[in-house]
Amino acid sequence: MKYSRFLAYTLICLITISCSVKRPVTNSVLASDGKLWAALWQQRAAEYKALCFQAYNIARLRLDQDLQTDMPARRAIITDIDETILDNSPNAVHQALQGREFEPDSWYKWTAKADCDTLAGALSFFRYAASKGVTVFYITNRDEQEREATLKNLRRFGFPDADNEHLLLKQTVSDKEDRRLEVLKSHRIVLLLGDNLSDFSKLFNKLPEDERMKITRQQSGNFGSKFIVLPNSTYGDWENAIFQYNYKINPAQKEEIIKKSLRDE
Ligand SMILES: [Mg+2]
């Protein structure tokens, strides 16, 4: 009798403790598992590396074509950083293994390590461009608190123009157009490289899904020509557009939208 009372008491205590423990808000299982799968592809698929090489080979081809013209000099290349020249998939894995998606605090801790690897083909392309007198501008939506670590990470590999003058971080808005226009004041932009359509033109900024598709079709001639696209299946505006740029969407709604968005057989 005493023993069963003790068991009941223990059970009540355990239930009370478990209810009072503050659990993290879990994110959508579909979304976080999806990010794990995407990161697996980014880290382990030779096909991913091949696509990066392909993008940078095309970039070199286009640059060589431009170098043969007598268009005004002061050539510049504008490039994004994350998932364009640096690989952040370890942060996506870190989050997904805890059932979490992107979180700013975790991201800042990750970028502060200056430990991102570089994408296949990126370094040799930018070094080649620099050897031909082309200036590189890094236009990224990393912010001021990430400046030092970002430069450290770029310098670790020996990326050209990795200095304050050529690193244009996000100040107040994520729209990159003003920063592109700033570069245009002094340089002719030969190429733009990015993994997100808004890395190329303001035409793509924060559009609904169907509009993104429409503008992409209209701009098809620029891809592989002036715009060099790197693959990113982990995150980007493609994902934000699906959730209608609602960053406070709850996990259940997210799961529902993901299921509704997919074409089944
Ligand atoms: Mg990016």
Side-chain angles (χ1 to χ4, degrees), residues 65-81:
Q65 286 172 345
D66 191 86
L67 290 167
Q68 282 162 16
T69 67
D70 42 14
M71 299 275 275
R74 286 188 76 80
R75 292 178 170 89
I77 291 175
I78 289 180
T79 183
D80 169 54
I81 291 182

Side-chain angles (χ1 to χ4, degrees), residues 50 69 71 106 134 151 187 229:
T69 67
M71 299 275 275
S106 165
V134 180
L151 289 175
H187 290 77
V229 191

Side-chain angles (χ1 to χ4, degrees), residues 8-23:
Y9 176 75
T10 309
L11 194 62
I12 288 165
C13 283
L14 281 174
I15 291 169
T16 311
I17 290 167
S18 100
C19 290
S20 63
V21 169
K22 256 205 163 180
R23 293 178 188 283

Side-chain angles (χ1 to χ4, degrees), residues 35-253:
K35 284 182 191 290
L36 213 50
W37 193 251
L40 184 67
W41 182 72
Q42 190 168 337
Q43 293 184 2
R44 306 304 292 260
E47 288 81 355
Y48 170 72
K49 307 267 183 255
L51 282 169
C52 295
F53 280 128
Q54 180 171 276
Y56 280 107
N57 287 343
I58 293 170
R60 181 163 168 158
L61 190 75
R62 296 304 182 200
L63 175 58
D64 282 341
Q65 286 172 345
D66 191 86
L67 290 167
Q68 282 162 16
T69 67
D70 42 14
M71 299 275 275
R74 286 188 76 80
R75 292 178 170 89
I77 291 175
I78 289 180
T79 183
D80 169 54
I81 291 182
D82 297 311
E83 273 49 63
T84 298
I85 58 177
L86 294 182
D87 174 1
N88 297 284
S89 58
N91 180 249
V93 171
H94 178 78
Q95 293 298 99
L97 288 176
Q98 300 174 73
R100 293 172 175 275
E101 292 175 62
F102 176 86
E103 288 171 314
D105 286 352
S106 165
W107 172 263
Y108 288 137
K109 276 184 197 157
W110 159 248
T111 59
K113 293 178 186 172
D115 196 29
C116 301
D117 203 351
T118 183
L119 266 59
L123 183 59
S124 59
F125 169 72
F126 286 108
R127 278 187 166 169
Y128 176 73
S131 78
K132 298 292 176 187
V134 180
T135 307
V136 181
F137 286 90
Y138 302 90
I139 299 188
T140 171
N141 282 340
R142 289 190 178 198
D143 64 28
E144 282 298 338
Q145 67 174 295
E146 298 172 278
R147 180 180 287 279
E148 283 314 309
T150 302
L151 289 175
K152 187 178 167 191
N153 207 151
L154 294 174
R155 286 170 184 158
R156 232 185 76 196
F157 295 107
F159 276 97
D161 297 315
D163 54 35
N164 285 324
E165 192 192 336
H166 299 92
L167 176 65
L168 306 180
L169 298 160
K170 175 180 163 182
Q171 298 301 321
T172 50
V173 290
S174 54
D175 179 1
K176 295 181 169 181
E177 185 68 3
D178 286 349
R179 285 171 278 170
R180 283 190 288 262
L181 293 175
E182 202 53 41
V183 174
L184 257 182
K185 284 181 188 169
S186 53
H187 290 77
R188 186 169 60 81
I189 299 170
V190 181
L191 292 171
L192 297 108
L193 292 96
D195 64 296
N196 201 33
L197 290 174
S198 54
D199 293 329
F200 306 112
S201 163
K202 67 175 180 183
L203 286 173
F204 298 105
N205 286 353
K206 294 227 168 177
L207 293 177
E209 259 192 291
D210 54 347
E211 281 292 305
R212 300 184 92 235
M213 294 291 186
K214 192 175 126 194
I215 306 291
T216 300
R217 274 193 293 273
Q218 286 171 0
Q219 291 289 316
S220 62
N222 273 325
F223 298 110
S225 175
K226 183 148 189 172
F227 304 157
I228 306 295
V229 191
L230 279 300
N232 181 2
S233 61
T234 311
Y235 66 90
D237 279 346
W238 67 267
E239 176 193 19
N240 299 328
I242 287 170
F243 302 121
Q244 298 177 354
Y245 302 91
N246 177 3
Y247 304 104
K248 290 180 178 164
I249 193 166
N250 73 45
Q253 290 170 312

